[in-house]
Amino acid sequence: RCRRCVALAADQRGSKSLQKHPLSHYSRTLNQTARYRTSGAISSGLQLQSPGQRERYPVDRLAMGCRALLLALLVAPLDSFYHPVCTRVPLALRAQQQRQQRPKRLHKRREPEREPERRSWNPQAIKLNRQIANRDGSHEDIFRLFNTRKKDFCEVNYATALNWLAKKQPRGGYAVDSQDARNLAELILAASNQLDANPDGWDARALANAAWGAAKLLQPRKYANPRERRAVQGSDIEEALKAACASLLRKIGDLAETRPDDFKAQELANVAWSFATADLDAPRLYASLATSATPRLAQFSAQELANVAWAFAKRLGTGAAGVPNTNAPDDVACAEASRTMFEAWSEECILRFPDGDFKAQELANAVWAVATAGFEASDEFWDTAARAAVPLMRDPEQAQTQNIANCLWSYAKSGDGTPAVRKELFSELADAASKRVDEFNAQELGNTAWAYATASIAAPELFDAIAASAEGRVERFIAQNLANTAWAFATASHRAPRLLDAVAREAARRADEFKPQELANTAWAFATCSRDDFVDAKIQRQLFDNIARAAYKRLDRFSDQGLSNIAWAFAAAGEAQRHEKLFGAVASEAAPRVAEFQPQGFSNLAWAFSTAELSSSELFDAMASEIAKQNRAARFNPQEIANTAWAFAKNAEGSKQLFDSLATMTLVLGAKSGGDLTRAGFTPQELSNLAWAYACADHVDGALLRKLWNAVVEVAADDATQCFTIEELRQLQQVVLHARNSGRGTNMDGLVTDIARAPAGFTGLLRRSLAEADASPSRAQDEVAQSLEALGLEVVHEFVIPDGLSVDVALKPLRWRVAVEFDGPRHYFRNEKRLPTGRTNFKVRLLRALGWRVLHVPYFDWARLPDEKARQNYLKTGLAAIVKSARKASKVEVVSEDDRDEFSALKVAELRRLCEARGLESRVKRGLDARATLIERLRAQKSSSPEEGGG
């Protein structure tokens, strides 16, 4: 029909241009039954003329081509005909070339040995087998045959009957209270007895078929509703069926373990699949199957390769990758054999993936098995699988939604493969999943969202589609789906308020159905979302109440990570105050188990209690002892070091050994990065928190604080307000005050010098940030001030001292440095009403170092005073000794060593440079003390203009 097609087909060199030429109607028809093997005959028929003759006689050439086509039709069957212009030609040629170029296998194909007598059956058994395997029959026909011809059943008949009963079972399984269930139990028992009586009569195929059928029949039955499940759950017939199937499978496993080489590839895969589906522990069987399969994996089809890997990963978990589940000899041997098999299996898959041997489900099962087992496959395995997966998963006719979800989950779980290839895979499958999102079931939606969140790959359109599809289906989600969906949207920071509200309502209603890990993950997700107001506050409060109630009953079943996560979630969501009982139970459960915790667990747990302002000396002492042990702190990353130190300091907990360990690890991390803490991974927030922690804990470590201060100054060089929050700037000013007033004889002099050298604009910003802290006096604080005025004292409310600290009420004259601090509930722990927090103790210490004498009025003492007279007497008694000592000290003109500032440690040359930088006169007249004069000028500038260098 097409002259150009025939001409191009006649020239073997024109194969590339065939892809661009439109097919004729005739070639499109032939394309449906095209095969490669007849192309040689067609080409030879078309080459009867030389190239020159073909150019001169185009009509003859067409006629010759037609003769060749007709000849091919006559000599080749229609189903094997191949037309040279088929669009599949280049793909077929490429596949054949790849097969030819495939590296030589390290092992040869071999047929499993079989005993002839096990394959030969008498004619009566064969005839009966055909009746059992009648495709038009039903399970009732098989039961009728068994009841009427029970004596004629032999090994192959039992195996075939079990196999076909599993295939033909009604939707949802056999009803427990029916006659079918009784017949099934009787047949399984008879098959088990036959296996005991004549084990040699069962060949490998019969064993594999029987195992597959028993495993399918052992799968949990699907019930129409929960009422039906409760009605039959635990019934005698159901338990008898389960026991009979499990017993038969174990007998088959014992027999298969001794002769694994008798099984063909499909039979071996079916046996492994059966035990994995039935969830039966058989390490010796799996070791035997792995040892037998390893040298002959080349004989396995793609489906058999996928099934074997799936079965081993499903049943053994990480044991399939060489990590035994226990130290038992059988488990160790099984893990070793499985690891060896997986190594050979992955190499075989690398050779097969480009050939197109794997279908979508088989490829998804293969990568799922590797990810589940934790087997460290090479990047080549993951990359070749990804390239093969993209066209398969994008084709709706080839890939089910489950295949897409499993493939994405596997790549996210493993995190392996070349980043560019993984990103391309996720990008392509995001488009495919978005178009078919309504076909996904609940688990597939949750797994898909989880995969993109875990892989940190943005897919906003896909998340929007998932949210729209899932919102109306959350009542059909199981607990795991709800937890995974919430976790994924929180991790991806994707706004979906309507979906999250629906998930929160459903999770609150069914909190008792959640497993411990699902409770912790759900709490973490909604705590993360609460920071961005993704969820309605009322719904969130109800959710956390129900999670707390469900978790409190089962804290002993929480993992160490689960305990730390649930504590972190309640603290981050601001729900700790209403659930102090839960925190107390968490502390009691975690303290004896601190040896199990990882660095992140320590960090999250300590941060949670400190943020919630809850004290637990037992827990903090246990964590401090464990972290201070050798090599424990060495595994902490920068964030974990900063959060742990900050939490211990804020809770006024932690030993010298703990802070020494964390300081050593911080300096080690800095040394690995050339002394640069920012390059070591410390963020501005972590630098500020860590410096404040060591200052608050009064842990004198000048070397560490100098490193932290210099890193802070370097970070703030561009724009400090963009790098640090106002709270972090206030913390840094407190560090400055701590360094200046640490006292002589410490190693803080170097830090004081570095502070003096810092840009004036930055140090001024620190003072202002602390001085401008919002002051909101409570009613009780105003009452204290009024009582002081009633005593005839002049007071200043919320007085800010030059260094930025403020006091609630300062007494005049100010040179006495006498203040009254009203300590409200926030100055103490919520669960220890009379125990001050580390932050409160730090401020007291700083005020004392600056020469201030402070009367502290605890809120619980003030609340007990009945009237104004009692209040005045309370204040008069407390202030008597303080005012007397202040008057006496004010007459002494001696400057205390504690009154030194950042200039007192500088040398004359450094003071001159600092004066020049600040626009002051740096020259000093002869006869004057140069050092004292320069310091006086700098101090005068500082006191007269606290806003200097603000900028």
Side-chain angles (χ1 to χ4, degrees):
R1 297 289 300 276
C2 178
R3 291 180 60 188
R4 188 180 177 195
C5 284
V6 176
L8 290 172
D11 189 356
Q12 293 180 345
R13 293 172 297 178
S15 59
K16 292 184 179 179
S17 59
L18 292 177
Q19 304 174 44
K20 302 179 181 179
H21 187 70
L23 299 178
S24 65
H25 173 73
Y26 184 59
S27 62
R28 290 178 188 271
T29 304
L30 294 179
N31 183 32
Q32 303 300 322
T33 56
R35 291 292 178 87
Y36 181 76
R37 61 185 183 147
T38 58
S39 60
I42 297 175
S43 298
S44 61
L46 292 175
Q47 289 179 354
L48 295 178
Q49 294 178 327
S50 63
Q53 292 173 323
R54 288 202 299 271
E55 293 296 332
R56 294 172 57 189
Y57 304 104
V59 178
D60 293 340
R61 179 183 60 197
L62 176 60
M64 192 63 68
C66 291
R67 293 194 194 98
L69 292 172
L70 291 173
L71 177 62
L73 283 171
L74 293 175
V75 301
L78 185 60
D79 64 344
S80 64
F81 186 79
Y82 172 82
H83 188 263
V85 294
C86 172
T87 55
R88 298 176 186 259
V89 170
L91 297 177
L93 286 171
R94 194 178 306 115
Q96 185 192 36
Q97 292 171 358
Q98 289 173 347
R99 282 194 293 270
Q100 292 173 351
Q101 296 172 359
R102 182 183 298 173
K104 187 176 181 181
R105 302 185 187 279
L106 300 179
H107 49 266
K108 297 181 180 180
R109 294 177 62 95
R110 66 180 180 85
E111 291 293 332
E113 298 179 1
R114 290 180 176 274
E115 298 181 10
E117 61 270 23
R118 294 183 185 167
R119 294 200 311 269
S120 59
W121 307 101
N122 59 60
Q124 184 180 2
I126 295 174
K127 184 177 180 180
L128 180 58
N129 224 39
R130 290 173 179 168
Q131 294 176 355
I132 295 171
N134 181 14
R135 294 183 179 275
D136 297 329
S138 65
H139 65 277
E140 296 173 347
D141 297 331
I142 298 175
F143 286 137
R144 192 179 300 111
L145 276 173
F146 174 68
N147 290 329
T148 56
R149 302 184 58 182
K150 187 182 306 183
K151 295 182 180 179
D152 297 333
F153 267 60
C154 65
E155 293 80 3
V156 68
N157 302 137
Y158 281 115
T160 306
L162 287 171
N163 190 279
W164 280 86
L165 283 172
K167 293 178 180 178
K168 291 179 177 292
Q169 62 180 322
R171 185 177 181 82
Y174 293 101
V176 174
D177 56 349
S178 65
Q179 184 61 38
D180 290 342
R182 298 183 180 87
N183 290 336
L184 180 60
E186 185 179 355
L187 189 148
I188 294 173
L189 182 60
S192 182
N193 293 335
Q194 184 71 17
L195 187 60
D196 290 336
N198 185 24
D200 292 338
W202 293 72
D203 65 1
R205 183 177 182 182
L207 289 173
N209 286 345
W212 186 91
K216 289 286 286 185
L217 294 169
L218 191 58
Q219 285 182 312
R221 182 171 176 263
K222 297 179 180 179
Y223 299 96
N225 51 62
R227 183 180 301 174
E228 182 183 350
R229 180 189 295 111
R230 289 192 295 268
V232 302
Q233 199 167 20
S235 65
D236 294 339
I237 298 178
E238 184 179 35
E239 294 302 321
L241 272 173
K242 290 181 179 179
C245 288
S247 176
L248 177 62
L249 277 170
R250 292 192 182 282
K251 292 177 181 179
I252 292 173
D254 293 340
L255 196 58
E257 177 190 332
T258 60
R259 50 187 193 188
D261 291 339
D262 288 355
F263 290 87
K264 290 183 178 179
Q266 183 178 0
E267 296 162 357
L268 188 147
N270 284 353
V271 172
W273 180 93
S274 302
F275 276 77
T277 302
D279 199 22
L280 294 178
D281 189 22
R284 288 185 296 180
L285 170 64
Y286 275 94
S288 179
L289 295 178
T291 303
S292 177
T294 301
R296 52 190 178 116
L297 287 172
Q299 295 178 258
F300 284 50
S301 67
Q303 182 180 8
E304 291 156 3
L305 287 171
N307 286 353
V308 165
W310 182 92
F312 273 75
K314 173 77 172 176
R315 183 64 197 95
L316 302 178
T318 56
V323 182
N325 298 323
T326 68
N327 292 327
D330 288 345
D331 283 337
V332 173
C334 178
E336 182 61 27
S338 300
R339 183 186 61 80
T340 304
M341 186 199 75
F342 261 91
E343 289 175 353
W345 177 89
S346 63
E347 294 298 325
E348 184 67 27
C349 288
I350 291 173
L351 299 175
R352 299 279 194 94
F353 285 146
D355 293 352
D357 291 354
F358 282 76
K359 296 179 182 177
Q361 182 173 357
E362 295 158 0
L363 193 147
N365 286 352
V367 294
W368 179 92
V370 175
T372 302
F375 176 72
E376 296 182 1
S378 63
D379 285 348
E380 185 182 7
F381 171 87
W382 291 103
D383 290 350
T384 53
R387 294 187 183 98
V390 169
L392 290 174
M393 300 301 172
R394 287 183 62 86
D395 188 352
E397 296 182 359
Q398 298 190 60
Q400 300 176 1
T401 53
Q402 183 184 15
N403 306 148
I404 297 175
N406 284 354
C407 186
L408 291 168
W409 180 91
S410 303
Y411 275 84
K413 173 76 172 176
S414 69
D416 293 328
T418 305
V421 177
R422 291 177 64 247
K423 187 175 181 180
E424 181 183 2
L425 171 71
F426 274 83
S427 176
E428 294 287 344
L429 296 196
D431 181 58
S434 299
K435 296 176 181 177
R436 304 175 59 187
V437 70
D438 290 333
E439 302 176 28
F440 283 64
N441 62 29
Q443 183 176 0
E444 294 160 3
L445 286 174
N447 285 354
T448 301
W450 180 93
Y452 279 88
T454 303
S456 301
I457 295 178
E461 294 181 0
L462 174 61
F463 272 81
D464 286 340
I466 291 175
S469 178
E471 180 186 340
R473 296 193 272 164
V474 292
E475 69 279 355
R476 286 179 275 170
F477 282 28
I478 62 174
Q480 183 183 10
N481 304 148
L482 292 170
N484 284 356
T485 302
W487 184 93
F489 275 80
T491 303
S493 300
H494 188 87
R495 290 187 61 88
R498 294 177 59 181
L499 170 65
L500 291 173
D501 284 349
V503 170
R505 278 193 294 267
E506 192 66 20
R509 186 175 66 85
R510 297 160 51 190
D512 290 334
E513 301 176 16
F514 282 59
K515 296 177 182 177
Q517 183 179 356
E518 294 162 357
L519 286 172
N521 287 354
T522 303
W524 180 92
F526 282 94
T528 303
C529 292
S530 67
R531 296 180 170 184
D532 300 316
D533 297 327
F534 285 3
V535 186
D536 181 77
K538 184 178 180 181
I539 297 174
Q540 176 181 304
R541 193 176 304 113
Q542 181 184 2
L543 171 65
F544 275 89
D545 288 346
N546 291 359
I547 288 178
R549 185 167 52 254
Y552 184 80
K553 305 173 186 176
R554 295 179 281 167
L555 281 178
D556 57 330
R557 284 181 259 170
F558 276 68
S559 65
D560 57 301
Q561 183 181 3
L563 288 172
S564 62
N565 281 357
I566 201 164
W568 182 94
F570 274 78
E575 299 288 340
Q577 186 174 2
R578 298 189 303 111
H579 298 98
E580 291 181 15
K581 184 179 178 182
L582 175 65
F583 274 79
V586 168
S588 300
E589 183 65 32
R593 296 166 51 184
V594 291
E596 305 172 12
F597 279 69
Q598 298 299 318
Q600 186 178 7
F602 285 118
S603 171
N604 286 352
L605 197 58
W607 182 94
F609 274 80
S610 297
T611 302
E613 296 179 347
L614 296 172
S615 174
S616 177
S617 296
E618 178 189 6
L619 175 61
F620 275 83
D621 288 346
M623 289 195 294
S625 300
E626 185 64 28
I627 295 172
K629 287 183 179 178
Q630 188 177 8
N631 295 330
R632 283 294 269 172
R635 291 184 288 172
F636 280 60
N637 63 32
Q639 182 184 21
E640 293 158 356
I641 291 174
N643 285 355
T644 304
W646 179 88
F648 272 84
K650 189 170 184 290
N651 262 42
E653 299 280 0
S655 62
K656 182 178 184 300
Q657 291 77 12
L658 168 73
F659 283 98
D660 283 343
S661 299
L662 296 177
T664 301
M665 193 57 220
T666 303
L667 294 174
V668 168
L669 289 174
K672 291 180 179 178
S673 302
D676 189 346
L677 290 179
T678 55
R679 287 176 53 194
F682 286 87
T683 65
Q685 180 186 11
E686 291 158 6
L687 292 171
S688 171
N689 285 352
L690 192 56
W692 182 88
Y694 276 82
C696 178
D698 199 18
H699 189 84
V700 180
D701 194 324
L704 173 63
L705 285 174
R706 285 191 72 180
K707 283 280 186 186
L708 293 170
W709 175 258
N710 291 330
V712 164
V713 172
E714 184 178 352
V715 169
D718 296 331
D719 189 349
T721 57
Q722 295 296 322
C723 301
F724 298 97
T725 65
I726 187 66
E727 181 60 31
E728 291 159 7
L729 292 173
R730 290 169 184 166
Q731 287 186 159
L732 290 172
Q733 177 61 12
Q734 291 177 350
V735 174
V736 170
L737 296 178
H738 167 73
R740 292 174 183 169
N741 299 279
S742 293
R744 299 290 185 183
T746 68
N747 58 356
M748 288 293 185
D749 288 340
L751 175 60
V752 174
T753 303
D754 289 344
I755 291 173
R757 292 170 180 166
F762 180 57
T763 54
L765 175 64
L766 297 183
R767 283 196 301 276
R768 291 195 308 278
S769 65
L770 188 59
E772 296 172 359
D774 294 334
S776 52
S778 64
R779 183 173 59 85
Q781 182 178 326
D782 290 336
E783 290 175 355
V784 171
Q786 292 169 6
S787 297
L788 288 171
E789 291 173 340
L791 290 172
L793 299 173
E794 293 186 62
V795 299
V796 179
H797 294 264
E798 297 295 338
F799 177 71
V800 179
I801 63 178
D803 287 305
L805 278 179
S806 66
V807 292
D808 293 341
V809 182
L811 273 61
K812 289 186 176 181
L814 295 177
R815 60 187 174 82
W816 288 2
R817 297 187 182 183
V818 175
V820 177
E821 281 276 291
F822 179 78
D823 295 338
R826 292 299 301 272
H827 288 73
Y828 302 89
F829 290 103
R830 287 198 172 108
N831 58 338
E832 296 286 347
K833 305 300 184 182
R834 294 174 179 268
L835 183 64
T837 64
R839 191 183 294 277
T840 301
N841 292 336
F842 188 26
K843 183 177 180 181
V844 170
R845 194 172 69 250
L846 288 177
L847 288 173
R848 187 180 297 119
L850 291 170
W852 283 80
R853 293 166 176 83
V854 182
L855 171 64
H856 289 275
V857 181
Y859 75 98
F860 44 82
D861 285 350
W862 189 257
R864 288 202 306 265
L865 301 174
D867 52 27
E868 180 62 22
K869 184 177 180 180
R871 295 171 184 169
Q872 292 180 14
N873 289 335
Y874 178 89
L875 294 173
K876 186 186 299 185
T877 304
L879 286 172
I882 294 177
V883 171
K884 183 177 180 180
S885 64
R887 284 175 176 174
K888 184 177 179 180
S890 66
K891 298 177 181 179
V892 180
E893 298 297 333
V894 179
V895 179
S896 170
E897 287 185 350
D898 289 341
D899 288 334
R900 68 197 181 98
D901 55 17
E902 67 268 33
F903 309 120
S904 58
L906 299 183
K907 298 177 181 178
V908 173
E910 294 173 329
L911 290 169
R912 289 185 188 278
R913 287 195 295 270
L914 191 57
C915 286
E916 291 173 356
R918 298 192 177 187
L920 299 175
E921 179 62 46
S922 61
R923 293 177 295 178
V924 180
K925 293 182 179 180
R926 292 182 180 180
L928 296 178
D929 186 343
R931 190 167 184 279
T933 304
L934 293 172
I935 289 178
E936 184 179 356
R937 291 173 183 173
L938 290 166
R939 286 176 178 170
Q941 184 192 49
K942 174 183 173 182
S943 60
S944 63
S945 179
E947 301 293 328
E948 67 172 342

